[in-house]
Amino acid sequence: MSTATASEVARLRAEERFKKTALREREAAEARRHEEERGRAETAKVERLRALRLARDAEQAAAAALRLEEKRAAAELAAQQPAPAKRQRRSAQS
């Protein structure tokens, strides 16, 4: 068996610390990338939902405007037509 000198032991410890530090840095970088991906996915989802909501709101506004226009047209048409003649009641003597 060979015995390690103090300088070899110190070098091995330093290498081990370096490896652990490098591993932690890689794991931290991977975690940051993962969080950034989640953030982008969340942003994309929010943008998609916002676009859907805006499209729905625009469709509802258009439908409401159409209903209002139909009511106006019906009211205008009703105003142009003469009132129906009142029916005369039959008298009891007839």
Side-chain angles (χ1 to χ4, degrees):
M1 269 206 232
S2 64
T3 57
T5 63
S7 62
E8 289 174 337
V9 170
R11 183 181 58 79
L12 290 173
R13 286 183 182 159
E15 286 178 0
E16 194 62 32
R17 278 194 304 267
F18 178 79
K19 287 178 185 178
K20 285 182 181 179
T21 301
L23 177 62
R24 280 193 293 262
E25 288 174 354
R26 283 193 304 272
E27 289 172 347
E30 185 176 337
R32 280 191 301 274
R33 279 192 303 273
H34 181 67
E35 276 302 309
E36 289 170 359
E37 287 174 14
R38 284 184 57 215
R40 284 190 296 272
E42 182 72 19
T43 299
K45 181 177 90 173
V46 168
E47 289 174 356
R48 182 181 64 83
L49 291 173
R50 181 174 185 265
L52 288 172
R53 180 176 44 82
L54 291 174
R56 180 202 63 206
D57 292 350
E59 183 178 328
Q60 288 175 347
L66 182 60
R67 285 191 303 272
L68 182 60
E69 184 60 34
E70 288 172 350
K71 281 184 180 181
R72 286 182 186 158
E76 185 177 311
L77 183 62
Q80 291 175 354
Q81 292 179 352
K86 290 187 177 181
R87 296 178 71 186
Q88 293 182 354
R89 290 186 176 187
R90 291 186 185 176
S91 64
Q93 297 174 348
S94 318

